[in-house]
C-alpha cells in the first residue's frame, strides 16, 4: 500500500474509511483528503481575483498588475500554509483547515467581482 501522501483521492478516501472503522485517529488523513480537493481550486480562485482586480483598476500598467498578482499569490500561500499547519496540530478541524484559503480568497474575489464597475 502506498504512503497516504502518494494515494489518489479514491484510495485515500477508502483508507480514511478503513481507519475510522478500526477506531484510529484520521485527522491528518482527512486533511490530506480535503486538500486534494481544495488545492486544485486555487487556480480558479486566483483567476477570479485577477479578473476582479483588473476590472477594478484599469489604469496603472502591467507592472502594478503583476505586483498585485504576486502579492495575492504569496498571501494565498501564507494563509493556506498556516491553516494546514493549524489543522495538522488539531487547532483547526481538518475540513476547515483544508478549505480556509480557498473560501477566504474566493469570497474576496467574488465580492470584488460583483462590485467591479461595468
Amino acid at each position: 500500500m502506498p504512503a497516504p501522501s502518494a494515494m489518489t483521492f479514491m484510495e485515500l478516501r477508502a483508507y480514511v474509511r478503513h481507519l475510522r472503522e478500526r477506531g484510529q485517529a484520521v485527522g491528518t488523513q482527512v486533511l490530506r483528503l480535503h486538500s486534494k480537493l481544495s488545492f486544485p481550486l486555487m487556480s480558479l480562485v486566483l483567476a477570479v481575483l485577477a479578473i476582479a482586480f483588473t476590472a477594478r483598476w484599469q489604469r496603472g500598467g502591467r507592472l502594478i498588475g503583476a505586483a498585485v498578482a504576486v502579492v495575492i499569490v504569496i498571501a494565498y500561500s501564507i494563509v493556506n500554509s498556516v491553516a494546514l499547519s493549524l489543522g495538522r496540530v488539531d487547532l483547526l478541524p481538518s475540513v476547515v483547515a483544508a478549505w480556509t484559503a480557498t473560501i477566504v480568497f474566493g469570497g474576496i474575489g467574488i465580492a470584488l467581482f460583483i462590485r467591479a464597475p461595468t
Side-chain angles (χ1 to χ4, degrees):
M1 176 179 272
S5 60
M7 291 181 182
T8 65
F9 178 79
M10 297 304 284
E11 291 171 338
L12 188 54
R13 190 171 79 171
Y15 181 63
V16 167
R17 186 176 297 132
H18 174 72
L19 290 177
R20 278 191 179 140
E21 289 171 357
R22 296 182 66 191
Q24 295 180 346
V26 293
T28 303
Q29 307 316 327
V30 171
L31 181 65
R32 284 190 180 153
L33 182 69
H34 283 276
S35 292
K36 286 183 182 280
L37 291 176
S38 67
F39 189 73
L41 291 176
M42 175 183 71
S43 53
L44 177 65
V45 167
L46 294 176
V48 169
L49 273 169
I51 291 168
F53 273 104
T54 302
R56 197 172 238 345
W57 293 287
Q58 296 172 354
R59 299 175 76 167
R62 293 181 198 165
L63 184 60
I64 292 174
V68 168
V70 169
V71 168
I72 290 171
V73 169
I74 290 170
Y76 182 96
S77 297
I78 290 170
V79 169
N80 193 42
S81 295
V82 168
L84 291 176
S85 296
L86 291 174
R88 281 188 201 101
V89 295
D90 290 331
L91 291 175
L92 271 179
S94 298
V95 175
V96 173
W99 288 96
T100 296
T102 303
I103 291 171
V104 168
F105 282 84
I108 292 169
I110 290 170
L112 289 173
F113 191 74
I114 289 172
R115 294 181 181 207
T118 56

